């Protein structure tokens, strides 16, 4: 398995550097103030300036104003965007940045059609649906709902852990995996052993 890994919900420099040292390919920063993993644009951009090369910082928004999005991504050309709300494709491509659109998967969704609504997306992130909770649920969804051969690279998210990551990758064969809660000591604080174990599990043969 040589699956790419995004560690999401980074709130401090120590966790960011730790995740990079263990081989994270991307780091997610949550700019949704209701999240316990919220990080300020100033803190996030201070962290991003200090990241080593070949790691993608991902700015995560939930139906945010364009002023907030521009204030974050305008400070550093490295940012990729993750739209995690009900953003339309035209809203997503407004920023001329590579972006992922998150879909919160429910039984009965036409995932092929939903993915095809975002032709300008670099990838699609498939996450668990939980009423009233936009993301970071810590819950898995039924991976068998994911059709084969979707038209975009798929980032699998939702309740992934060091314990289930190999099964998830074997079943779904995603382009990348994304985790927040499954590698934490507490909300917004990552566990180095769990981050290391998760990445090793995702990248081991
Ligand atoms: O992580 C959050 O707290 C969060 C809050 C609001 C919107 C999105 C959020 N996270 C988005 C992510 O990409 C998470 O990594 C993803 O939902 C998986 O989270 P988890 O199930 O805890 O691994």
């Amino acid at each position: 398995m040589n699956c790419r890994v995004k560690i999401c919900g980074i709130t401090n420099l120590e966790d960011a550097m730790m995740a990079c040292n263990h081989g994270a390919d991307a780091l997610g920063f949550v700019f949704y103030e209701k999240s316990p993993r919220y990080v300020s644009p100033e803190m996030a951009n201070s962290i991003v300036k200090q990241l080593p090369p070949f790691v993608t910082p991902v700015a995560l928004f939930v139906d945010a104003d364009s002023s907030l999005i521009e204030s974050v991504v305008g400070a550093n050309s490295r940012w990729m965007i993750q739209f995690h709300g009900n953003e339309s494709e035209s809203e997503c491509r407004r920023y001329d940045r590579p972006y992922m659109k998150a879909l919160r998967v429910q039984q009965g969704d036409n995932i092929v059609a939903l993915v095809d609504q975002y032709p300008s997306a670099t990838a699609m992130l498939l996450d668990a649906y939980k009423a009233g909770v936009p993301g970071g649920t810590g819950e898995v969804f039924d991976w068998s709902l994911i059709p084969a051969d979707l038209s975009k690279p798929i980032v699998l998210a939702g309740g992934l852990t060091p314990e289930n990551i190999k099964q998830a990758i074997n079943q779904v064969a995603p382009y990348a995996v994304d985790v927040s809660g499954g590698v934490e000591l507490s909300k917004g604080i990552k566990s180095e052993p769990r981050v290391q174990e998760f990445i090793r599990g995702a990248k081991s043969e």
Side-chain angles (χ1 to χ4, degrees), residues 3-10 15-29 47-48 51-59 78-82 100 123 125 155 175-180 183 190 195 198-199 203:
C3 193
R4 289 166 179 80
V5 176
K6 171 181 167 248
I7 304 295
C8 196
I10 296 288
D15 284 351
M17 299 309 287
M18 176 270 290
C20 293
N21 293 339
H22 289 296
D25 300 286
L27 302 179
F29 298 80
I47 293 169
V48 169
L51 292 180
F54 315 133
V55 177
T56 301
V58 179
R78 290 178 69 169
W79 285 111
M80 177 176 183
I81 301 175
Q82 179 176 323
M100 289 194 288
L125 184 137
V155 180
Y175 173 81
V177 291
D178 164 283
V179 63
S180 194
V183 293
K190 304 306 175 185
V195 168
F198 184 88
I199 294 174
K203 293 182 178 287

Side-chain angles (χ1 to χ4, degrees), residues 120-137:
S120 60
T122 298
M124 299 297 286
L125 184 137
L126 302 184
D127 199 358
Y129 173 85
K130 184 174 183 179
V133 183
T137 67

Side-chain angles (χ1 to χ4, degrees), residues 1 162 165-166 169 196-205:
M1 304 172 199
I165 187 58
K166 288 181 182 286
I169 293 173
Q196 181 178 29
E197 190 182 353
F198 184 88
I199 294 174
R200 282 180 174 172
K203 293 182 178 287
S204 63
E205 290 306 322

Side-chain angles (χ1 to χ4, degrees), residues 37 84 127-130 133-141 143 157-161 164 178-184 187:
R37 303 177 180 104
H84 215 97
D127 199 358
Y129 173 85
K130 184 174 183 179
V133 183
T137 67
E139 297 183 8
V140 297
F141 67 94
W143 300 327
L160 298 180
T161 67
N164 67 17
D178 164 283
V179 63
S180 194
V183 293
E184 287 184 328
K187 301 268 189 193

